[in-house]
Amino acid sequence: MMKFLAVLALAFVGLMPVAAEARIITDAAGRTVSVPDKINRILVAGPPAAVLVYVLAPEKLVGWVHAPDDAAKVYLMPSVRSLPTIGRLTGKDGTISAQAVIDAKPDIILDAGTVDPTYKALADKVQSQTHIPYVLVDGSFARTADTLRDVGALIGVEDRANKLADYADSAIKDLNDKLATLPNDPRPRVYYGRGADGLETGLSGSINLEILDAVGTMNVAAAAGKGGLARVTPQQVAGWNPDIIIAESPAFAASVKSDPQWAGIKAVKDGKIFVPPSLPFGWFDSPPGVNRLLGVRWMEKLLYPKLFRSDFSDDVKEFYKLFYQVDLTNDQLAALLKGMK
């Protein structure tokens, strides 16, 4: 019991079991939740939690929030490619009903990401309606290793969780050590555009843009204030005049090069518009989960090629093998890295 408590100390405060087949934990929102001693079926509330459960224990995943398309499926284990689409509980696109949650027969519901009163209220409501334990997990990038260990202990896959967490610790330490050697020059100014028009972005504090801070850059949209995702105008982006544009959509990346509204922006004039790989999950965002560990590697090579000299192909193959449990073929690897110098 003491070992279990120590593992959960950062994100879950374990208390004495109330019964032989139950545990009481305190989740990241400070909610007291009674969870089964053995957890075999997990329903995920949103995309970040889906990635988290997939990389830790794919056999426990009840279903997908959104069904992976054919292009994504080949980068996933065969055992999960045909899991049912359950829908999502969180966000503006929430589609799943309380009855559908019950019908899925999960042992727990898990959500990973931002922890605030809105998500806490949703968790309380769904748990009250379904009588299924609902656990909130802090999904911030800085806590990636801790989150892997905490959830691994919660669902009974400590050994695998420790392997993934060790990778996360090493990757983030390597990043921070190398960034510390850079001169105190102005940081690269970056705009991240979501959607086909590139006009949805994240404000200061948005979980979707966390890795911009992690890799030593400046999110220009922070000038619009603090918050989550928001719509902006081409005029605002022009005023921010970013050095680099990260485009979620290839369509946006292609269109912006010939759009007169964007023509005067430094990133456009310099040809510094980049689309991060997105299979089976986005490397930069979409969703903002543990998949971003590879996005950090991608950003390192993009921004500081002389500082980060490891063989990036090997980095990608290692990550996919360890986290997604797939061996990339040469063709798959080439498709992922298409366009990279």
Side-chain angles (χ1 to χ4, degrees):
M1 175 58 69
M2 293 305 295
K3 179 181 178 182
F4 173 74
L5 294 180
V7 173
L8 295 188
L10 289 173
F12 306 112
V13 180
L15 304 178
M16 291 298 293
V18 296
E21 296 182 358
R23 293 168 285 165
I24 299 293
I25 65 166
T26 301
D27 72 4
R31 301 167 55 254
T32 300
V33 186
S34 176
V35 300
D37 185 54
K38 292 184 178 180
I39 296 172
N40 295 315
R41 292 178 58 81
I42 304 171
L43 185 144
V44 292
V51 180
L52 181 59
V53 175
Y54 171 66
V55 302
L56 284 170
E59 72 281 0
K60 297 178 186 286
L61 187 63
V62 169
W64 294 108
V65 173
H66 303 295
D69 60 21
D70 290 341
K73 284 180 180 179
V74 298
Y75 293 93
L76 295 167
M77 297 174 65
S79 61
V80 304
R81 293 175 185 173
S82 299
L83 286 176
T85 301
I86 303 295
R88 68 181 294 168
L89 285 164
T90 59
K92 62 183 179 181
D93 298 321
T95 57
I96 185 171
S97 67
Q99 187 58 53
V101 172
I102 294 169
D103 290 344
K105 299 179 180 178
D107 297 316
I108 65 167
I109 301 165
L110 186 75
D111 190 23
T114 302
V115 178
D116 63 19
T118 298
Y119 288 96
K120 181 178 182 294
L122 175 64
D124 288 339
K125 176 183 177 181
V126 173
Q127 184 169 296
S128 175
Q129 291 175 335
T130 64
H131 305 290
I132 296 168
Y134 194 128
V135 179
L136 290 169
V137 179
D138 182 348
S140 59
F141 181 75
R143 279 190 49 83
T144 299
D146 295 327
T147 295
L148 287 163
R149 291 191 179 97
D150 295 336
V151 176
L154 173 70
I155 66 176
V157 291
E158 293 91 338
D159 289 346
R160 174 155 177 79
N162 285 332
K163 289 180 182 178
L164 302 187
D166 287 347
Y167 176 100
D169 277 333
S170 177
I172 293 173
K173 182 180 185 303
D174 181 61
L175 170 66
N176 291 335
D177 287 348
K178 289 178 178 175
L179 289 179
T181 69
L182 291 174
N184 294 321
D185 294 335
R187 295 192 295 169
R189 303 175 71 257
V190 181
Y191 174 74
Y192 173 52
R194 290 168 53 103
D197 65 0
L199 294 177
E200 182 179 67
T201 192
L203 306 182
S204 174
S206 169
I207 193 172
N208 300 82
L209 274 76
E210 281 185 313
I211 68 170
L212 288 184
D213 285 331
V215 299
T217 67
M218 180 183 296
N219 171 21
V220 296
K226 188 174 178 61
L229 295 174
R231 295 285 297 178
V232 298
T233 66
Q235 292 73 28
Q236 283 178 291
V237 182
W240 297 329
N241 198 29
D243 304 309
I244 295 169
I245 292 174
I246 305 295
E248 179 192 45
S249 164
F252 165 56
S255 66
V256 74
K257 296 174 184 177
S258 59
D259 188 330
Q261 295 184 97
W262 297 78
I265 295 172
K266 186 176 187 301
V268 178
K269 291 190 291 186
D270 294 346
K272 293 189 177 297
I273 305 166
F274 304 99
V275 182
S278 60
L279 297 172
F281 312 110
W283 286 16
F284 182 92
D285 178 33
S286 302
V290 298
N291 42 300
R292 294 177 296 173
L293 286 168
L294 194 53
V296 166
R297 295 284 198 195
W298 178 75
M299 290 288 290
E300 290 169 359
K301 300 295 287 187
L302 185 70
L303 297 168
Y304 317 111
K306 294 181 180 179
L307 193 60
F308 294 89
R309 295 181 175 275
S310 63
D311 187 319
F312 190 55
S313 295
D314 288 344
D315 292 340
V316 174
K317 287 188 287 187
E318 177 191 9
F319 184 89
Y320 274 67
K321 178 64 174 177
L322 180 59
F323 279 77
Y324 300 152
Q325 300 187 67
V326 295
D327 291 303
L328 292 176
T329 66
N330 290 335
D331 287 345
Q332 288 173 329
L333 181 64
L336 289 170
L337 301 184
K338 184 179 180 180
M340 285 196 68
K341 296 179 180 179

PDB file of all heavy atoms in Angstrom, residues 11 28 111-115 136-141 143-144 147 207:
ATOM      1  N   ALA A  11      -0.417  13.291  -8.466  1.00  0.00           N
ATOM      2  CA  ALA A  11      -1.690  13.654  -9.067  1.00  0.00           C
ATOM      3  C   ALA A  11      -2.880  13.016  -8.374  1.00  0.00           C
ATOM      4  O   ALA A  11      -3.989  13.494  -8.491  1.00  0.00           O
ATOM      5  CB  ALA A  11      -1.710  13.248 -10.537  1.00  0.00           C
ATOM      6  N   ALA A  28      -7.033  15.078  -9.880  1.00  0.00           N
ATOM      7  CA  ALA A  28      -6.319  16.346 -10.070  1.00  0.00           C
ATOM      8  C   ALA A  28      -7.181  17.563  -9.784  1.00  0.00           C
ATOM      9  O   ALA A  28      -6.652  18.661  -9.594  1.00  0.00           O
ATOM     10  CB  ALA A  28      -5.768  16.419 -11.490  1.00  0.00           C
ATOM     11  N   ASP A 111     -10.442  11.480 -17.961  1.00  0.00           N
ATOM     12  CA  ASP A 111     -10.216  12.671 -18.775  1.00  0.00           C
ATOM     13  C   ASP A 111      -8.844  13.231 -18.440  1.00  0.00           C
ATOM     14  O   ASP A 111      -8.441  13.277 -17.274  1.00  0.00           O
ATOM     15  CB  ASP A 111     -11.282  13.734 -18.519  1.00  0.00           C
ATOM     16  CG  ASP A 111     -11.209  14.876 -19.533  1.00  0.00           C
ATOM     17  OD1 ASP A 111     -10.681  14.642 -20.631  1.00  0.00           O
ATOM     18  OD2 ASP A 111     -11.682  15.980 -19.219  1.00  0.00           O
ATOM     19  N   ALA A 112      -8.106  13.662 -19.452  1.00  0.00           N
ATOM     20  CA  ALA A 112      -6.769  14.229 -19.274  1.00  0.00           C
ATOM     21  C   ALA A 112      -6.689  15.538 -20.024  1.00  0.00           C
ATOM     22  O   ALA A 112      -7.075  15.617 -21.191  1.00  0.00           O
ATOM     23  CB  ALA A 112      -5.704  13.262 -19.789  1.00  0.00           C
ATOM     24  N   GLY A 113      -6.179  16.563 -19.362  1.00  0.00           N
ATOM     25  CA  GLY A 113      -6.059  17.861 -20.016  1.00  0.00           C
ATOM     26  C   GLY A 113      -6.129  18.981 -19.011  1.00  0.00           C
ATOM     27  O   GLY A 113      -5.611  18.877 -17.898  1.00  0.00           O
ATOM     28  N   THR A 114      -6.793  20.052 -19.394  1.00  0.00           N
ATOM     29  CA  THR A 114      -6.974  21.188 -18.506  1.00  0.00           C
ATOM     30  C   THR A 114      -7.880  20.798 -17.354  1.00  0.00           C
ATOM     31  O   THR A 114      -8.894  20.130 -17.550  1.00  0.00           O
ATOM     32  CB  THR A 114      -7.592  22.372 -19.268  1.00  0.00           C
ATOM     33  OG1 THR A 114      -6.743  22.727 -20.363  1.00  0.00           O
ATOM     34  CG2 THR A 114      -7.790  23.570 -18.359  1.00  0.00           C
ATOM     35  N   VAL A 115      -7.514  21.199 -16.154  1.00  0.00           N
ATOM     36  CA  VAL A 115      -8.340  20.933 -14.977  1.00  0.00           C
ATOM     37  C   VAL A 115      -8.820  22.275 -14.435  1.00  0.00           C
ATOM     38  O   VAL A 115      -8.027  23.071 -13.940  1.00  0.00           O
ATOM     39  CB  VAL A 115      -7.553  20.166 -13.903  1.00  0.00           C
ATOM     40  CG1 VAL A 115      -8.428  19.938 -12.674  1.00  0.00           C
ATOM     41  CG2 VAL A 115      -7.058  18.830 -14.454  1.00  0.00           C
ATOM     42  N   LEU A 136     -10.297  12.882 -13.204  1.00  0.00           N
ATOM     43  CA  LEU A 136      -9.656  13.965 -13.942  1.00  0.00           C
ATOM     44  C   LEU A 136      -8.153  13.937 -13.717  1.00  0.00           C
ATOM     45  O   LEU A 136      -7.687  13.817 -12.579  1.00  0.00           O
ATOM     46  CB  LEU A 136     -10.202  15.318 -13.483  1.00  0.00           C
ATOM     47  CG  LEU A 136     -11.650  15.623 -13.880  1.00  0.00           C
ATOM     48  CD1 LEU A 136     -12.143  16.862 -13.130  1.00  0.00           C
ATOM     49  CD2 LEU A 136     -11.769  15.843 -15.377  1.00  0.00           C
ATOM     50  N   VAL A 137      -7.398  14.075 -14.808  1.00  0.00           N
ATOM     51  CA  VAL A 137      -5.945  14.010 -14.774  1.00  0.00           C
ATOM     52  C   VAL A 137      -5.378  15.299 -15.353  1.00  0.00           C
ATOM     53  O   VAL A 137      -5.851  15.781 -16.391  1.00  0.00           O
ATOM     54  CB  VAL A 137      -5.431  12.810 -15.603  1.00  0.00           C
ATOM     55  CG1 VAL A 137      -3.907  12.757 -15.596  1.00  0.00           C
ATOM     56  CG2 VAL A 137      -6.012  11.508 -15.081  1.00  0.00           C
ATOM     57  N   ASP A 138      -4.367  15.848 -14.719  1.00  0.00           N
ATOM     58  CA  ASP A 138      -3.690  17.034 -15.230  1.00  0.00           C
ATOM     59  C   ASP A 138      -2.871  16.635 -16.456  1.00  0.00           C
ATOM     60  O   ASP A 138      -1.913  15.876 -16.360  1.00  0.00           O
ATOM     61  CB  ASP A 138      -2.778  17.604 -14.143  1.00  0.00           C
ATOM     62  CG  ASP A 138      -2.067  18.882 -14.564  1.00  0.00           C
ATOM     63  OD1 ASP A 138      -2.086  19.217 -15.763  1.00  0.00           O
ATOM     64  OD2 ASP A 138      -1.478  19.540 -13.686  1.00  0.00           O
ATOM     65  N   GLY A 139      -3.251  17.164 -17.625  1.00  0.00           N
ATOM     66  CA  GLY A 139      -2.574  16.788 -18.859  1.00  0.00           C
ATOM     67  C   GLY A 139      -1.570  17.808 -19.349  1.00  0.00           C
ATOM     68  O   GLY A 139      -1.194  17.772 -20.529  1.00  0.00           O
ATOM     69  N   SER A 140      -1.109  18.701 -18.492  1.00  0.00           N
ATOM     70  CA  SER A 140      -0.148  19.715 -18.924  1.00  0.00           C
ATOM     71  C   SER A 140       1.154  19.065 -19.373  1.00  0.00           C
ATOM     72  O   SER A 140       1.564  18.018 -18.853  1.00  0.00           O
ATOM     73  CB  SER A 140       0.123  20.715 -17.797  1.00  0.00           C
ATOM     74  OG  SER A 140       0.633  20.068 -16.650  1.00  0.00           O
ATOM     75  N   PHE A 141       1.812  19.698 -20.334  1.00  0.00           N
ATOM     76  CA  PHE A 141       3.009  19.095 -20.922  1.00  0.00           C
ATOM     77  C   PHE A 141       4.113  18.902 -19.890  1.00  0.00           C
ATOM     78  O   PHE A 141       4.799  17.870 -19.898  1.00  0.00           O
ATOM     79  CB  PHE A 141       3.518  19.960 -22.075  1.00  0.00           C
ATOM     80  CG  PHE A 141       4.731  19.376 -22.749  1.00  0.00           C
ATOM     81  CD1 PHE A 141       4.612  18.289 -23.599  1.00  0.00           C
ATOM     82  CD2 PHE A 141       5.997  19.894 -22.512  1.00  0.00           C
ATOM     83  CE1 PHE A 141       5.717  17.729 -24.203  1.00  0.00           C
ATOM     84  CE2 PHE A 141       7.114  19.349 -23.122  1.00  0.00           C
ATOM     85  CZ  PHE A 141       6.981  18.263 -23.970  1.00  0.00           C
ATOM     86  N   ARG A 143       3.969  18.079 -16.958  1.00  0.00           N
ATOM     87  CA  ARG A 143       3.698  16.949 -16.072  1.00  0.00           C
ATOM     88  C   ARG A 143       3.580  15.624 -16.830  1.00  0.00           C
ATOM     89  O   ARG A 143       3.094  14.643 -16.278  1.00  0.00           O
ATOM     90  CB  ARG A 143       2.397  17.195 -15.302  1.00  0.00           C
ATOM     91  CG  ARG A 143       2.543  18.106 -14.087  1.00  0.00           C
ATOM     92  CD  ARG A 143       1.259  18.084 -13.245  1.00  0.00           C
ATOM     93  NE  ARG A 143       0.824  16.710 -12.996  1.00  0.00           N
ATOM     94  CZ  ARG A 143       1.298  15.940 -12.024  1.00  0.00           C
ATOM     95  NH1 ARG A 143       2.245  16.381 -11.227  1.00  0.00           N
ATOM     96  NH2 ARG A 143       0.835  14.715 -11.864  1.00  0.00           N
ATOM     97  N   THR A 144       4.036  15.573 -18.060  1.00  0.00           N
ATOM     98  CA  THR A 144       3.836  14.374 -18.874  1.00  0.00           C
ATOM     99  C   THR A 144       4.345  13.117 -18.192  1.00  0.00           C
ATOM    100  O   THR A 144       3.629  12.101 -18.113  1.00  0.00           O
ATOM    101  CB  THR A 144       4.526  14.531 -20.246  1.00  0.00           C
ATOM    102  OG1 THR A 144       3.962  15.642 -20.936  1.00  0.00           O
ATOM    103  CG2 THR A 144       4.338  13.274 -21.084  1.00  0.00           C
ATOM    104  N   THR A 147       2.216  12.293 -15.154  1.00  0.00           N
ATOM    105  CA  THR A 147       0.901  11.807 -15.566  1.00  0.00           C
ATOM    106  C   THR A 147       0.965  10.354 -16.008  1.00  0.00           C
ATOM    107  O   THR A 147       0.106   9.536 -15.651  1.00  0.00           O
ATOM    108  CB  THR A 147       0.352  12.679 -16.707  1.00  0.00           C
ATOM    109  OG1 THR A 147       0.133  14.007 -16.220  1.00  0.00           O
ATOM    110  CG2 THR A 147      -0.951  12.126 -17.259  1.00  0.00           C
ATOM    111  N   ILE A 207      -3.527  25.129 -23.420  1.00  0.00           N
ATOM    112  CA  ILE A 207      -2.829  23.839 -23.388  1.00  0.00           C
ATOM    113  C   ILE A 207      -2.414  23.421 -24.791  1.00  0.00           C
ATOM    114  O   ILE A 207      -1.427  22.689 -24.965  1.00  0.00           O
ATOM    115  CB  ILE A 207      -3.722  22.761 -22.726  1.00  0.00           C
ATOM    116  CG1 ILE A 207      -2.907  21.504 -22.400  1.00  0.00           C
ATOM    117  CG2 ILE A 207      -4.916  22.419 -23.598  1.00  0.00           C
ATOM    118  CD1 ILE A 207      -3.670  20.483 -21.575  1.00  0.00           C
TER     119      ILE A 207
END
